[in-house]
């Protein structure tokens, strides 16, 4: 019996060592944390703070109920991007029936940024109130003093109430039906993203107007609200899953079409300013599987610390029948003049960017 226990302990130790020494990305495969558990951070975003990466994402549970928020936002940390330490639940849903983040709400695509002025970590996410389906279309905001949390829910809101976009002088009849309808109460917020520019200004990028048009809105200095300045982009193009990054003074966009949980061809664009004009560049994916973005949907573009022109496409493979089994697709981005490409790799590592 003692020998059996000893052998079991030895195998457990080897399994732990293996889990803690991943040295490659294997897109679409089970990705375990340092405890050997499949990483549970879907629709996620990344924050680099003090030379450590923090991955925030939706914590899923088994079965159809997992498409609603039963736990909250999960956080993991890593020094090398391969091996991830479970830091626990950064934002817990509430059991208070009057809370906007009541257990059973829909809480999607959490993103966290750090405010160097206030020394606060600020989380934004797409929020649908419990029992309302996708009709609420709100942004949720939470703050913390520590990067891993716990985060305190501040409020939920529609976007830029009472404000007109700076890039629109006249609105088409179709646009008026949606935009003017929500003018006073605030514009709809669905799939969303945060971006902090080199000057510390932060922006909220989100699908709005029944998903028909994206908005890019400037945040206040505290990152807790809107200044009222924003633009409408990709009008009537029905894009979601937005991600923005910056390289050599140009702003780049990745997103998807609107086909529910099913994958579709990715879309890309570039602009000389966050405010535009944004010019579409087509599907950035190339090779076999490009027409369905390699069975994934964009969630974030990750700049790799200390490496020039090194950016990673982060995507999700959604499994709505059993959300906890969702997989992650991370792929290297390659640049050709002012365009970029994403090509499938069965297995790769950061040496890819040293070629």
């Amino acid at each position: 019996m003692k020998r059996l226990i000893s052998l079991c302990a030895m195998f457990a130790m080897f399994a732990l060592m293996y889990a803690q020494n991943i040295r490659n990305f294997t897109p679409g495969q089970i990705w375990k944390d340092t405890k050997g558990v499949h990483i549970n951070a879907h629709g996620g975003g990344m924050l680099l703070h003090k030379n450590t990466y923090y991955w925030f994402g939706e914590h899923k549970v088994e079965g159809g109920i997992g498409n609603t928020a039963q736990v909250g936002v999960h956080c993991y940390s890593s020094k090398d991007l391969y091996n991830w330490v479970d830091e626990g639940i950064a934002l817990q849903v509430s059991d208070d029936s009057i809370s906007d983040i009541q257990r059973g709400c829909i809480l999607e695509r959490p993103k966290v940024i750090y405010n160097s002025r206030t020394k606060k970590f600020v989380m934004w996410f797409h929020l649908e109130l419990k029992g309302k389906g996708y009709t609420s279309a709100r942004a949720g905001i939470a703050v913390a003093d520590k990067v891993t949390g716990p985060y305190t829910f501040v409020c939920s809101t529609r976007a830029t109430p009472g404000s007109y976009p700076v890039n629109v002088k006249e609105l088409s009849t179709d646009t008026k039906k949606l935009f003017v309808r929500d003018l006073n109460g605030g514009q709809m917020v669905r799939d969303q993203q945060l971006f902090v520019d080199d000057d510390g200004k932060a922006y909220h990028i989100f699908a709005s107007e029944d998903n028909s048009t994206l908005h890019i809105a400037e945040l206040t200095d505290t990152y807790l609200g809107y200044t009222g300045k924003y633009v409408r982009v990709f009008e009537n193009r029905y894009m979601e899953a937005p991600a923005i990054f910056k390289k050599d003074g140009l702003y780049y966009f990745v997103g998807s079409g609107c086909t529910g949980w099913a994958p579709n061809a990715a879309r890309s664009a570039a602009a000389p300013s966050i405010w535009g004009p944004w010019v579409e560049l087509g599907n950035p994916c190339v090779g076999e599987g490009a027409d369905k973005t390699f069975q994934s949907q964009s969630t974030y573009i990750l700049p790799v610390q200390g490496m020039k022109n090194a950016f990673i496409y982060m995507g999700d493979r959604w499994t709505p029948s059993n959300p906890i089994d969702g997989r992650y697709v991370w792929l290297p981005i390659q640049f050709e003049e002012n365009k970029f490409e994403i090509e499938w790799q069965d297995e790769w590592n950061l040496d890819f960017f040293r070629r």
Side-chain angles (χ1 to χ4, degrees):
M1 178 61 74
K2 288 183 179 179
R3 185 178 180 184
L4 179 60
I5 294 173
S6 178
L7 286 172
C8 289
M10 182 177 66
F11 285 130
M13 180 183 71
F14 284 142
L16 183 60
M17 288 175 62
Y18 174 77
Q20 290 176 331
N21 286 280
I22 298 171
R23 287 294 178 264
N24 293 287
F25 302 110
T26 52
Q29 302 301 309
I30 287 286
W31 194 350
K32 296 180 179 181
D33 64 21
T34 55
K35 293 180 179 177
V37 179
H38 181 36
I39 294 170
N40 197 339
H42 310 270
M46 199 72 63
L47 174 66
L48 176 65
H49 185 70
K50 295 184 177 179
N51 298 315
T52 299
Y53 294 95
Y54 294 90
W55 181 358
F56 297 88
E58 306 161 29
H59 181 102
K60 300 293 191 181
V61 299
E62 292 186 356
I65 196 174
N67 294 308
T68 62
Q70 298 298 314
V71 178
V73 176
H74 212 135
C75 176
Y76 295 82
S77 67
S78 175
K79 295 287 188 181
D80 61 9
L81 292 177
Y82 308 113
N83 300 280
W84 292 89
V85 177
D86 185 352
E87 299 287 356
I89 303 303
L91 175 68
Q92 296 268 5
V93 294
S94 174
D95 287 319
D96 187 338
S97 62
I98 64 172
S99 172
D100 284 358
I101 58 168
Q102 180 185 0
R103 191 183 310 276
C105 68
I106 296 173
L107 193 163
E108 297 178 333
R109 298 182 178 271
K111 304 294 184 287
V112 174
I113 52 180
Y114 177 64
N115 192 307
S116 58
R117 297 184 184 184
T118 64
K119 311 299 182 188
K120 299 285 187 181
F121 297 91
V122 182
M123 178 189 294
W124 285 64
F125 48 88
H126 165 216
L127 176 66
E128 301 288 348
L129 303 179
K130 183 178 180 179
K132 301 292 184 181
Y134 277 83
T135 62
S136 301
R138 302 179 72 82
I141 306 166
V143 297
D145 295 318
K146 183 181 176 183
V147 60
T148 55
Y151 283 75
T152 300
F153 179 65
V154 176
C155 67
S156 74
T157 181
R158 283 286 187 97
T160 58
S163 298
Y164 275 85
V166 298
N167 66 333
V168 174
K169 294 182 179 179
E170 294 184 5
L171 298 172
S172 66
T173 300
D174 289 341
T175 299
K176 285 181 180 178
K177 292 177 183 177
L178 297 171
F179 176 81
V180 175
R181 175 197 67 186
D182 297 329
L183 179 62
N184 293 328
Q187 301 299 324
M188 302 176 78
V189 176
R190 286 189 175 148
D191 279 11
Q192 60 100 49
Q193 183 70 239
L194 296 177
F195 175 76
V196 180
D197 212 337
D198 302 330
D199 60 1
K201 282 282 188 183
Y203 302 88
H204 190 207
I205 303 97
F206 51 94
S208 194
E209 302 176 35
D210 285 340
N211 279 2
S212 67
T213 302
L214 285 177
H215 290 193
I216 301 176
E218 184 181 70
L219 298 184
T220 61
D221 288 343
T222 63
Y223 301 169
L224 295 176
Y226 300 102
T227 65
K229 182 180 180 181
Y230 71 103
V231 290
R232 299 173 68 251
V233 296
F234 311 122
E235 182 178 354
N236 294 322
R237 288 288 286 129
Y238 287 90
M239 294 194 190
E240 59 183 13
I244 284 181
F245 65 104
K246 188 177 183 180
K247 174 185 173 292
D248 298 335
L250 282 178
Y251 297 79
Y252 292 94
F253 165 88
V254 182
S256 81
C258 296
T259 53
W261 297 110
N264 56 63
R267 302 176 185 182
S268 66
S273 164
I274 191 74
W275 304 116
W278 287 91
V279 176
E280 289 197 49
L281 303 175
N283 184 357
C285 299
V286 296
E288 186 177 355
D291 60 331
K292 294 293 177 64
T293 317
F294 314 114
Q295 299 297 314
S296 74
Q297 186 184 43
S298 51
T299 186
Y300 194 80
I301 302 299
L302 170 63
V304 180
Q305 183 185 35
M307 303 186 77
K308 184 176 176 59
N309 298 332
F311 296 84
I312 297 174
Y313 163 86
M314 292 173 54
D316 288 278
R317 283 185 177 172
W318 301 108
T319 55
S321 62
N322 191 29
I324 197 172
D325 190 40
R327 310 293 176 86
Y328 310 104
V329 173
W330 286 25
L331 293 168
I333 293 177
Q334 304 175 72
F335 293 90
E336 180 82 24
E337 295 181 348
N338 291 334
K339 297 183 68 175
F340 63 94
E341 292 183 344
I342 304 169
E343 187 174 15
W344 178 257
Q345 312 284 327
D346 287 329
E347 186 171 342
W348 67 284
N349 58 44
L350 295 178
D351 287 338
F352 181 96
F353 298 116
R354 296 188 175 97
R355 296 176 182 177

